[in-house]
Amino acid sequence: MEVKILTHLYRQNRGTSFRISGHHLVGICRQSKNNKLDSIGFGSSQLENEQVCCGVVEINSSSSVKEELEEECSRKRGRSGSCSKPGTRACREKKRREMLNDKFMDLSSFLEPTRTPKTDKPAILDDAIRVVNQLRGEAHELKETNQKLLEEIKTLKAEKNELREEKLVLKADKEKMEQQLKSIPSPGFMPPHPAAFHQNKMAVYASYGYYPNMPMMPYLLPPSQRDTSQDQQNCSFAA
DNA sequence: ACTATATTTGCTAGCTCTCA
DNA sequence: TGAGAGCTAGCAAATATAGT
């Protein structure tokens, strides 16, 4: 264990006895903010009950001796009825306080996982209130968004149904018109112009009843072949 | 000196057990 | 079944202690 004598005096009104490497030191503990042992005020055995220690040793070790000292130097007050006797009321009360503190630490860790848990209880509660309010706001916004999306889904479904019905109506109309076309009587035999045969334009007449079982071929012909603008020149007798 | 935290202690409510 | 005793958790106030 490395010890370092500090120059300043350390004043305290109560001391605790320690034994380090066979040397008897009398003094008190000095703890840092996080309750870890920081240093020990010490004096001689003759100064055990004096108010002024002769010096302070700084502890710079992770040895079990230090742990023992830390145990010895905890904030526990050496009163009667303390938690040294398990099952006593004081012990139960201490357990209850520890449990409470643990819950506060858990809450602090939950609120700010990336930071060291706070020990300031009002600050932890402030954080908790802030986070709860923030989460409430977010939940409210998400509920509103969800409601809007549900309404949009409803509208789109209605629109889809309308389109489906429209499609059925159009399909029925189409079938009806096809039936009507099929039922129109033939206007009489009109032999196609020979040029039509020659230029493969015969299909133009297919839908007029000559070949009722044939598909409407003109739609299969390329536009250049459906052009009849030059027919008059090609076939003089048709004029 | 002041503040935060730990400890002690008195009080109360709730629960269980015993007894008439 | 109701009354009383005993036990305990929880709360709050008082007090002690440590840190700044």
Side-chain angles (χ1 to χ4, degrees):
Chain A
M1 170 182 285
E2 179 187 330
V3 297
K4 183 173 135 189
I5 295 179
L6 304 181
T7 53
H8 66 278
L9 294 179
Y10 195 78
R11 185 182 292 270
Q12 196 38 275
N13 61 3
R14 193 172 300 191
T16 309
S17 178
F18 310 109
R19 182 179 296 277
I20 302 173
S21 302
H23 299 284
H24 194 68
L25 294 177
V26 178
I28 51 85
C29 303
R30 186 172 180 275
Q31 286 170 301
S32 59
K33 227 175 181 180
N34 59 1
N35 276 352
K36 291 293 173 188
L37 187 64
D38 186 37
S39 55
I40 301 171
F42 71 95
S44 71
S45 57
Q46 292 97 311
L47 291 174
E48 184 162 0
N49 294 317
E50 295 294 328
Q51 288 196 338
V52 179
C53 301
C54 294
V56 174
V57 293
E58 193 175 69
I59 307 301
N60 183 17
S61 167
S62 58
S63 68
S64 59
V65 178
K66 185 181 173 184
E67 284 167 15
E68 284 174 26
L69 287 172
E70 285 189 354
E71 183 72 21
E72 189 83 20
C73 291
S74 74
R75 286 178 161 191
K76 276 187 276 186
R77 291 189 295 183
R79 280 192 173 186
S80 59
S82 72
C83 202
S84 56
K85 297 169 189 170
T88 60
R89 187 178 174 196
C91 196
R92 287 198 302 271
E93 182 66 17
K94 189 179 181 189
K95 285 270 191 299
R96 195 181 70 82
R97 288 193 304 273
E98 283 174 353
M99 184 267 293
L100 205 57
N101 288 340
D102 285 349
K103 298 291 178 193
F104 268 100
M105 295 293 273
D106 287 349
L107 182 59
S108 182
S109 301
F110 176 76
L111 294 171
E112 289 178 303
T114 55
R115 295 183 58 182
T116 335
K118 291 180 182 174
T119 52
D120 185 0
K121 292 175 185 175
I124 293 171
L125 292 177
D126 279 344
D127 283 350
I129 290 167
R130 177 178 51 78
V131 170
V132 166
N133 283 332
Q134 183 186 327
L135 290 174
R136 269 189 186 160
E138 284 176 18
H140 186 253
E141 281 176 15
L142 287 171
K143 268 185 184 175
E144 282 185 343
T145 307
N146 188 42
Q147 193 62 36
K148 282 177 187 170
L149 288 171
L150 286 173
E151 281 172 13
E152 202 174 327
I153 287 171
K154 205 175 170 183
T155 308
L156 288 171
K157 272 186 179 173
E159 205 170 316
K160 182 186 163 191
N161 285 336
E162 278 177 20
L163 288 170
R164 185 177 285 170
E165 283 172 15
E166 201 177 325
K167 183 187 167 191
L168 288 173
V169 169
L170 289 170
K171 196 178 176 184
D173 283 352
K174 183 191 162 197
E175 283 171 3
K176 196 177 171 185
M177 287 173 77
E178 281 176 354
Q179 288 300 320
Q180 281 177 351
L181 283 173
K182 283 178 189 173
S183 64
I184 289 173
S186 167
F189 178 72
M190 284 182 68
H193 193 282
F197 287 105
H198 178 69
Q199 293 179 24
N200 203 14
K201 288 172 186 160
M202 182 57 206
V204 173
Y205 303 97
S207 61
Y208 287 92
Y210 280 87
Y211 308 99
N213 292 329
M214 283 184 68
M216 298 177 75
M217 294 303 286
Y219 299 106
L220 300 176
L221 298 175
S224 60
Q225 292 191 27
R226 276 186 269 144
D227 185 10
T228 56
S229 59
Q230 303 300 317
D231 285 358
Q232 209 163 11
Q233 282 80 18
N234 295 337
C235 311
S236 55
F237 71 88

Coordinates of all heavy atoms in Angstrom, one line a residue, chain A residues 147-177:
Chain A
Q147 N -54.1 7.9 -36.3 CA -55.5 8.2 -36.6 C -55.6 8.7 -38.1 O -56.5 8.2 -38.8 CB -56.0 9.3 -35.6 CG -57.5 9.4 -35.6 CD -58.2 8.2 -35.2 OE1 -57.8 7.4 -34.4 NE2 -59.4 7.9 -35.9
K148 N -54.7 9.6 -38.4 CA -54.7 10.1 -39.8 C -54.5 9.0 -40.8 O -55.1 8.9 -41.9 CB -53.6 11.2 -40.0 CG -54.0 12.5 -39.4 CD -52.9 13.5 -39.5 CE -53.2 14.8 -38.8 NZ -52.1 15.7 -38.7
L149 N -53.5 8.1 -40.5 CA -53.2 7.0 -41.4 C -54.4 6.1 -41.6 O -54.7 5.6 -42.6 CB -52.0 6.2 -41.0 CG -50.7 7.0 -41.1 CD1 -49.5 6.3 -40.4 CD2 -50.3 7.2 -42.6
L150 N -55.1 5.8 -40.4 CA -56.3 5.0 -40.5 C -57.4 5.6 -41.4 O -58.0 4.9 -42.2 CB -56.8 4.7 -39.1 CG -56.0 3.8 -38.2 CD1 -56.5 3.7 -36.8 CD2 -56.0 2.4 -38.8
E151 N -57.5 6.9 -41.2 CA -58.5 7.6 -42.1 C -58.1 7.5 -43.5 O -59.0 7.3 -44.4 CB -58.7 9.0 -41.6 CG -59.5 9.2 -40.4 CD -59.5 10.6 -39.8 OE1 -59.1 11.5 -40.5 OE2 -60.0 10.7 -38.6
E152 N -56.8 7.6 -43.8 CA -56.4 7.6 -45.2 C -56.6 6.2 -45.8 O -57.0 6.0 -46.9 CB -54.9 7.9 -45.2 CG -54.4 8.4 -46.6 CD -53.0 8.8 -46.5 OE1 -52.5 9.4 -45.5 OE2 -52.3 8.6 -47.5
I153 N -56.4 5.2 -44.9 CA -56.6 3.8 -45.4 C -58.1 3.6 -45.7 O -58.4 3.0 -46.7 CB -56.2 2.8 -44.3 CG1 -54.6 2.7 -44.2 CG2 -56.8 1.4 -44.5 CD1 -54.1 1.9 -43.0
K154 N -58.9 4.2 -44.8 CA -60.4 4.1 -45.1 C -60.8 4.7 -46.4 O -61.5 4.1 -47.2 CB -61.1 4.8 -43.9 CG -62.5 4.3 -43.6 CD -63.0 5.0 -42.4 CE -64.5 4.8 -42.2 NZ -65.0 5.5 -41.0
T155 N -60.3 5.9 -46.6 CA -60.5 6.6 -47.9 C -60.1 5.8 -49.1 O -60.8 5.7 -50.1 CB -59.8 8.0 -47.9 OG1 -60.2 8.7 -46.7 CG2 -60.3 8.8 -49.1
L156 N -58.8 5.3 -49.0 CA -58.3 4.6 -50.1 C -59.1 3.3 -50.4 O -59.3 2.9 -51.5 CB -56.8 4.2 -49.8 CG -55.9 5.4 -49.9 CD1 -54.5 5.1 -49.4 CD2 -55.8 5.9 -51.4
K157 N -59.6 2.7 -49.3 CA -60.4 1.5 -49.5 C -61.7 1.8 -50.2 O -62.1 1.0 -51.1 CB -60.7 0.8 -48.1 CG -59.6 -0.1 -47.6 CD -60.0 -0.8 -46.4 CE -59.0 -1.8 -45.9 NZ -59.3 -2.4 -44.6
A158 N -62.3 2.9 -49.8 CA -63.5 3.3 -50.4 C -63.3 3.6 -51.9 O -64.1 3.2 -52.8 CB -64.1 4.5 -49.7
E159 N -62.2 4.3 -52.2 CA -61.8 4.6 -53.5 C -61.6 3.3 -54.4 O -62.0 3.2 -55.5 CB -60.6 5.5 -53.5 CG -60.4 6.3 -54.7 CD -59.2 7.3 -54.5 OE1 -59.1 7.9 -53.4 OE2 -58.4 7.5 -55.5
K160 N -60.9 2.4 -53.7 CA -60.7 1.1 -54.4 C -62.0 0.4 -54.8 O -62.2 -0.1 -55.9 CB -59.8 0.2 -53.5 CG -59.4 -1.1 -54.1 CD -58.8 -1.9 -53.0 CE -58.7 -3.4 -53.4 NZ -58.3 -4.2 -52.2
N161 N -62.9 0.4 -53.8 CA -64.2 -0.2 -54.1 C -65.0 0.5 -55.2 O -65.6 -0.2 -56.1 CB -65.1 -0.2 -52.8 CG -64.6 -1.2 -51.8 OD1 -63.9 -2.2 -52.2 ND2 -64.8 -1.0 -50.5
E162 N -64.9 1.8 -55.2 CA -65.6 2.6 -56.3 C -65.0 2.2 -57.6 O -65.7 2.0 -58.6 CB -65.4 4.1 -56.0 CG -66.4 4.6 -55.1 CD -66.1 6.1 -54.8 OE1 -65.5 6.8 -55.6 OE2 -66.5 6.6 -53.7
L163 N -63.6 2.1 -57.7 CA -63.0 1.8 -58.9 C -63.3 0.4 -59.4 O -63.5 0.1 -60.6 CB -61.5 1.9 -58.8 CG -61.0 3.4 -58.7 CD1 -59.5 3.4 -58.3 CD2 -61.2 4.1 -60.0
R164 N -63.5 -0.5 -58.4 CA -63.8 -1.9 -58.7 C -65.2 -2.0 -59.3 O -65.5 -2.6 -60.3 CB -63.8 -2.7 -57.4 CG -64.0 -4.2 -57.7 CD -63.9 -5.0 -56.4 NE -62.5 -5.1 -56.0 CZ -62.1 -5.6 -54.8 NH1 -63.0 -5.9 -53.9 NH2 -60.8 -5.7 -54.5
E165 N -66.1 -1.2 -58.7 CA -67.5 -1.2 -59.2 C -67.5 -0.6 -60.6 O -68.2 -1.1 -61.5 CB -68.4 -0.4 -58.3 CG -68.8 -1.2 -57.0 CD -69.5 -0.3 -56.0 OE1 -70.0 0.8 -56.4 OE2 -69.6 -0.8 -54.8
E166 N -66.8 0.5 -60.8 CA -66.7 1.2 -62.1 C -66.2 0.2 -63.1 O -66.7 0.1 -64.3 CB -65.8 2.4 -62.0 CG -66.0 3.4 -63.1 CD -65.2 4.7 -62.8 OE1 -64.9 5.0 -61.7 OE2 -64.7 5.2 -63.8
K167 N -65.2 -0.6 -62.7 CA -64.6 -1.5 -63.6 C -65.6 -2.6 -64.1 O -65.7 -2.9 -65.3 CB -63.4 -2.2 -63.0 CG -62.7 -3.2 -63.8 CD -61.7 -4.0 -63.0 CE -61.1 -5.2 -63.8 NZ -60.3 -6.1 -62.9
L168 N -66.4 -3.0 -63.1 CA -67.5 -4.0 -63.4 C -68.5 -3.4 -64.4 O -68.9 -4.1 -65.3 CB -68.1 -4.5 -62.1 CG -67.3 -5.4 -61.2 CD1 -68.0 -5.6 -59.9 CD2 -67.0 -6.7 -61.9
V169 N -68.9 -2.2 -64.1 CA -69.9 -1.5 -65.0 C -69.3 -1.4 -66.4 O -70.0 -1.7 -67.4 CB -70.2 -0.1 -64.4 CG1 -71.0 0.7 -65.4 CG2 -71.0 -0.3 -63.1
L170 N -68.0 -1.0 -66.5 CA -67.4 -0.8 -67.8 C -67.3 -2.2 -68.5 O -67.5 -2.3 -69.7 CB -66.0 -0.2 -67.7 CG -66.0 1.3 -67.3 CD1 -64.7 1.8 -66.9 CD2 -66.6 2.1 -68.4
K171 N -67.0 -3.2 -67.8 CA -66.9 -4.5 -68.3 C -68.2 -5.0 -68.9 O -68.3 -5.5 -70.0 CB -66.4 -5.5 -67.3 CG -65.9 -6.8 -67.9 CD -65.3 -7.7 -66.7 CE -64.9 -9.0 -67.3 NZ -64.5 -9.9 -66.2
A172 N -69.3 -4.7 -68.1 CA -70.6 -5.1 -68.5 C -71.0 -4.3 -69.8 O -71.6 -4.9 -70.7 CB -71.6 -4.9 -67.4
D173 N -70.7 -3.0 -69.8 CA -71.0 -2.2 -71.0 C -70.3 -2.7 -72.2 O -70.9 -2.8 -73.3 CB -70.5 -0.8 -70.7 CG -71.5 0.0 -69.8 OD1 -72.6 -0.6 -69.5 OD2 -71.2 1.1 -69.4
K174 N -69.0 -3.1 -72.0 CA -68.3 -3.6 -73.1 C -68.9 -4.9 -73.7 O -69.1 -5.0 -74.9 CB -66.8 -3.9 -72.6 CG -65.9 -4.4 -73.7 CD -64.6 -4.9 -73.1 CE -63.9 -5.7 -74.1 NZ -62.8 -6.6 -73.5
E175 N -69.2 -5.8 -72.8 CA -69.8 -7.0 -73.2 C -71.2 -6.8 -74.0 O -71.5 -7.4 -75.0 CB -70.0 -8.0 -72.0 CG -68.7 -8.6 -71.6 CD -68.9 -9.4 -70.3 OE1 -70.0 -9.4 -69.8 OE2 -67.9 -9.9 -69.8
K176 N -71.9 -5.8 -73.4 CA -73.2 -5.5 -74.0 C -73.0 -4.9 -75.4 O -73.7 -5.3 -76.4 CB -73.9 -4.4 -73.1 CG -75.3 -4.3 -73.4 CD -75.9 -3.2 -72.4 CE -77.3 -2.9 -72.7 NZ -77.8 -1.8 -71.8
M177 N -72.0 -4.0 -75.5 CA -71.7 -3.4 -76.8 C -71.2 -4.5 -77.8 O -71.6 -4.5 -79.0 CB -70.7 -2.3 -76.7 CG -71.3 -1.1 -76.0 SD -70.0 0.1 -75.7 CE -69.8 0.8 -77.3

